[in-house]
Amino acid sequence: MIDLTPITDHWSDLVAGFQMTLQLSALAWGLACLTGIGLTALRAGGPASVQLIVAAYVDVMRGMPSLVLILACFYLLPETGLYLGSVASGLAALSLYYGAYMSEAMRGALAVIPAGQWEAATSTGLRPATILWRVILPQAIGPMIPSLTGLTIGLFKETALLSVISVPEFVFQAKEAISDSYAPFQIYAFIALVYWGTSAAIAYGAGMMERRFNRYRAAQPALRA
Amino acid sequence: MGEGLNELAAGLLATILLTICAAAVSAAAGILVATARLSGRKLLGIPARIYVSFMRGTPVLVQLFLVYFGLPALGLGGHPFAAASIAIGLNSAAYVAEILRGAILAVSPGQREAAEAIGLPPARFWRRVLLPQALIAALPALTNEATLLLKTTPLASAVAVTELTFSGQMIIARTYQAGRVLALVSLGYLILSFAITRASALLEHRLALKSGT
C-alpha cells in the first residue's frame, strides 16, 4: 500500500498551490489572448515597419526557451524600475511568450479564409468591423480551436516553471512539502496526476467547443478540403 | 565577464550534448511507442496511448523530478545529466510517436499490398519501404520537435545540470549582470535552433534527391 501521509499532511498547502496554478493559468491565458489579438491585428493592418517588428518579436519568442524569458522578466523588469515581484514577472513572461504563439495560431487560421470573402462582404457594403465579426471570425474560430487548445494546455503546464522564481504555485508547494517530509516520488506522482486530470478536462472542454463552432461545417465538407 | 564567457561556452556545449542525448532517447522511445500504437494489439496500444496522454498532459518539470527521484529506486540514482536526458527524451518521445504514427499511416496502403504481392518479408517492408517514406514525410514536423526539445533542455537546470541556462544563472548570482548574461544565453539558443532548422533543410534536400521526388 502506498503511504499517503506525505500528501495528507500537506494537503492545505498543496490545495493552495493548485489554486494558485489555476489562477495564474487563467490570468496568463487571458493576457496571452489579448497579446495575441493585438499582435495579429498589428501584423494584419499595421504599417510595414510595425509588421516587421512584430514578425521579429514572434520569431525571437519562438526561438527562445520559456524558462530564459521567465528569468529575463524576473531579473530585468526591476532594472527598468518596474518592481513587480515574482508573481507578476512570471505572468508577464508567460503572457509575452504565449501571446507570440497565439498570434501565430490566429494568423494561420485567418490566412485560410479566402480573400474573396472580404471582397464579397465589402462589395455588399458591410463595414470592416461587421465583416470581421459576422463573416470572418465565425469561420476562423472553429479551425483555430485545436491549436489554441494545445497552447492553452501548454500554458497551463508551463506555469510549473514559475516555481523556479519562487512563485508559490503547485510545484513550489510540492517542493516545500518534500523538504518537510522527504517523500519526493509520492508527492510528484500525486501532483502529476492532478495536472494530468486538469489537462484532460481542458482538452475535453475544448473538444466540445470545437464541435459547437464547427457544427455548420458538417453540411459542407467540401470547404474543408 | 571574460571568465563568464568560458563558463557560458561550457554551458553551451553541455546544452548541445544534452540535446543530442535526449534526442536519442526520444527517437528510440518514439519509434517504440509509435509501433505499439500501430500494432493493432490492445495490450500494446492502450499502454502506449496512456503514455502519450500522460506525457502531454503533465509539466515536463514534474516528469523530470519523477525520473530524478524515481531512478534511485531502480538503483540508477545520482546522475542529474542522465535523469535530464531520459526525462526530456521520454517527454519528446510522446510527440515524436504521434508524428511518426501520422506519417506511417499516410503512406499509401497500396505499398503494403505491393510488398506482400512480391513476397517481401514484413520486417524488410518496414525497413526498406515504409520507414524511408514516412521519415521523409515526417521530417519537417520532427525538426520542429527537435527545436522544441532544445528549448526544454533549460529545465535540466532544476536538477543542477550545468547547461547554458544554469551557467547563466550562476554568473548572474555572482556578477549581477543579468541583462548581458541572459542576452548571450538567448543568443545561444537562437543560434542552436537556427542550426537545427538549417541542418534539417539540408537533410530534407538530400533525402528528396535520393528518393527522386
Side-chain angles (χ1 to χ4, degrees), chain A:
Chain A
M1 190 58 203
I2 304 163
D3 182 16
L4 291 177
T5 46
I7 295 157
T8 50
D9 282 353
H10 302 92
W11 185 255
S12 59
D13 290 337
L14 290 172
V15 169
F18 185 58
Q19 281 173 346
M20 182 85 181
T21 286
L22 290 181
Q23 285 165 358
L24 283 169
S25 305
L27 262 173
W29 188 82
L31 290 169
C33 280
L34 289 178
T35 312
I37 292 168
L39 290 172
T40 311
L42 285 175
R43 214 166 171 179
S49 57
V50 175
Q51 289 187 21
L52 265 179
I53 294 169
V54 172
Y57 168 79
V58 171
D59 279 348
V60 168
M61 287 294 136
R62 299 209 308 166
M64 182 189 231
S66 48
L67 185 60
V68 176
L69 187 71
I70 291 169
L71 293 174
C73 284
F74 180 66
Y75 286 117
L76 299 181
L77 286 181
E79 280 187 18
T80 61
L82 265 175
Y83 292 96
L84 292 174
S86 58
V87 174
S89 313
L91 270 179
L94 288 178
S95 313
L96 290 171
Y97 196 72
Y98 276 89
Y101 279 89
M102 283 193 176
S103 81
E104 280 294 283
M106 292 170 187
R107 199 170 65 102
L110 286 176
V112 178
I113 292 172
Q117 299 272 331
W118 280 101
E119 289 157 12
T122 314
S123 72
T124 59
L126 291 177
R127 283 178 301 123
T130 317
I131 298 174
L132 192 65
W133 191 248
R134 291 283 182 188
V135 182
I136 306 299
L137 282 183
Q139 299 182 72
I141 285 181
M144 221 181 263
I145 290 177
S147 50
L148 287 186
T149 308
L151 290 173
T152 304
I153 294 174
L155 171 63
F156 164 66
K157 292 186 295 173
E158 215 96 311
T159 57
L161 295 186
L162 300 186
S163 63
V164 173
I165 54 169
S166 302
V167 172
E169 47 67 72
F170 206 18
V171 172
F172 184 84
Q173 295 291 3
K175 280 185 181 170
E176 297 282 295
I178 288 160
S179 66
D180 183 49
S181 66
Y182 209 77
F185 200 77
Q186 281 100 308
I187 290 173
Y188 283 129
F190 170 71
I191 71 165
L193 288 178
V194 177
Y195 275 113
W196 195 9
T198 313
S199 300
I202 297 173
Y204 181 78
M208 294 209 317
M209 288 250 300
E210 197 186 341
R211 275 191 295 283
R212 210 183 114 70
F213 276 105
N214 283 336
R215 66 193 184 280
Y216 68 94
R217 283 180 176 259
Q220 32 178 241
L223 265 183
R224 303 201 76 167

Side-chain angles (χ1 to χ4, degrees), chain A residues 59-68 71-73 75-76 79 97 101 153 156-158 160-164 171 175 178 182 184-185 188-189 191-193 195-197 199-200, chain B residues 50-51 53-62 65-67 69-71 91 95 148 150-152 154-155 157-158 165 169 172-173 176-180 182 185-186 189-190 193:
Chain A
D59 279 348
V60 168
M61 287 294 136
R62 299 209 308 166
M64 182 189 231
S66 48
L67 185 60
V68 176
L71 293 174
C73 284
Y75 286 117
L76 299 181
E79 280 187 18
Y97 196 72
Y101 279 89
I153 294 174
F156 164 66
K157 292 186 295 173
E158 215 96 311
L161 295 186
L162 300 186
S163 63
V164 173
V171 172
K175 280 185 181 170
I178 288 160
Y182 209 77
F185 200 77
Y188 283 129
I191 71 165
L193 288 178
Y195 275 113
W196 195 9
S199 300
Chain B
I50 294 174
Y51 174 84
S53 161
F54 178 82
M55 287 296 170
R56 299 214 288 193
T58 55
V60 197
L61 187 64
V62 175
F65 287 139
L66 279 175
V67 171
F69 292 107
L71 278 183
N91 175 269
Y95 297 86
L148 288 176
L150 167 73
K151 289 189 288 169
T152 318
L155 267 63
S157 63
T165 304
Q169 278 178 282
I172 293 171
Y176 300 105
Q177 294 192 325
R180 248 187 264 176
L182 287 173
V185 168
S186 323
Y189 287 108
L190 284 175
S193 54

Side-chain angles (χ1 to χ4, degrees), chain B residues 143-144 147 190-202 204:
Chain B
T143 309
N144 191 27
T147 56
L190 284 175
I191 291 171
L192 288 183
S193 54
F194 181 71
I196 293 176
T197 346
R198 279 306 302 157
S200 154
L202 283 176
E204 207 173 324

Side-chain angles (χ1 to χ4, degrees), chain B residues 161-183:
Chain B
V161 174
T162 357
E163 41 67 69
L164 187 54
T165 304
F166 195 66
S167 321
Q169 278 178 282
M170 290 199 299
I171 301 169
I172 293 171
R174 208 171 55 227
T175 63
Y176 300 105
Q177 294 192 325
R180 248 187 264 176
V181 173
L182 287 173

